[in-house]
Amino acid sequence: DQQVKQNSPSLSVQEGRISILNCDYTNSMFDYFLWYKKYPAEGPTFLISISSIKDKNEDGRFTVFLNKSAKHLSLHIVPSQPGDSAVYFCAASAQGSNYKLTFGKGTLLTVNP
Amino acid sequence: EAGVAQSPRYKIIEKRQSVAFWCNPISGHATLYWYQQILGQGPKLLIQFQNNGVVDDSQLPKDRFSAERLKGVDSTLKIQPAKLEDSAVYLCASSAPGTKPNNEQFFGPGTRLTVL
């Protein structure tokens, strides 16, 4: 039972353009959402997060949008840079589960120069 | 600040053999996590420690997997005996004290296990 779904295994964009990575969830108890970035042979690193009481959180080139009614969130990267090429994982947690992280399968982003 | 350390980085074993992984979290981080990441999947939590106590081990296959965190610092994860389906990257992560949602988890580089 995949509670966090990233339906696009891969995404390719041109440098300078916007990258949009999508994530859907099924568990309505999730109240906190995170994006992690992973380079090959390294562990995931935290990128940005959003609480369920907000619908947008911005940090530099990265913005996460949350649509609770649709159980959907997205990560926008503007402008995209070649160094952003990595696997991006969406993760969700719930207060009632000790904020245990449930991850999606990830989306491989390739930013072409 | 030193990150989460894991060893070994790679391990190849035959099925039915035993294997152990070691993790040294970031200094002062009370919470430690072990994840299993199978190729093409996201990380799946196996066990969470708070200091040296287990908070969550609901997804740990206890018939073959065991983990301990002596003295609330380093941790070891053991598989005995290993099966082919245990081939995965085993990630260790740690976070600062507390259970707030924005307690960022810091991940180590992982141990890639191949079971033949």
Side-chain angles (χ1 to χ4, degrees), chain B residues 6-79:
Chain B
Q6 289 188 248
S7 67
R9 291 295 310 274
Y10 304 92
K11 189 74 177 179
I12 300 174
I13 61 172
E14 301 273 336
K15 60 182 179 183
R16 291 188 288 273
Q17 284 187 320
S18 302
V19 64
F21 313 125
W22 173 82
C23 173
N24 186 6
I26 292 173
S27 177
H29 280 194
T31 309
L32 185 146
Y33 313 80
W34 282 103
Y35 289 86
Q36 179 192 57
Q37 186 181 7
I38 293 172
L39 186 65
Q41 305 285 324
K44 182 183 83 171
L45 180 69
L46 293 176
I47 189 167
Q48 176 183 345
F49 290 95
Q50 180 76 18
N51 296 307
N52 60 349
V54 175
V55 173
D56 187 333
D57 63 358
S58 57
Q59 297 188 99
L60 185 74
K62 299 181 186 63
D63 57 334
R64 297 184 300 107
F65 286 65
S66 64
E68 60 182 9
R69 191 183 184 198
L70 300 176
K71 301 180 182 178
V73 182
D74 293 7
S75 177
T76 55
L77 176 69
K78 297 179 181 178
I79 308 175

Side-chain angles (χ1 to χ4, degrees), chain A residues 2 31-32 34 36 38 41-46 49 89 93 97-106, chain B residues 9-10 35 37 40-43 45 48 55-56 58-59 91 99-102 104-109:
Chain A
Q2 195 79 15
D31 54 12
Y32 202 76
L34 308 89
Y36 278 80
K38 185 181 183 305
E42 295 183 12
T45 55
F46 171 76
S49 62
F89 290 101
S93 67
S97 300
N98 245 335
Y99 295 111
K100 175 173 72 176
L101 292 182
T102 300
F103 284 86
K105 292 184 177 182
Chain B
R9 291 295 310 274
Y10 304 92
Y35 289 86
Q37 186 181 7
Q41 305 285 324
L45 180 69
Q48 176 183 345
V55 173
D56 187 333
S58 57
Q59 297 188 99
L91 294 161
T99 56
K100 297 177 183 177
N102 57 344
E104 179 184 343
Q105 291 187 28
F106 295 83
F107 284 82

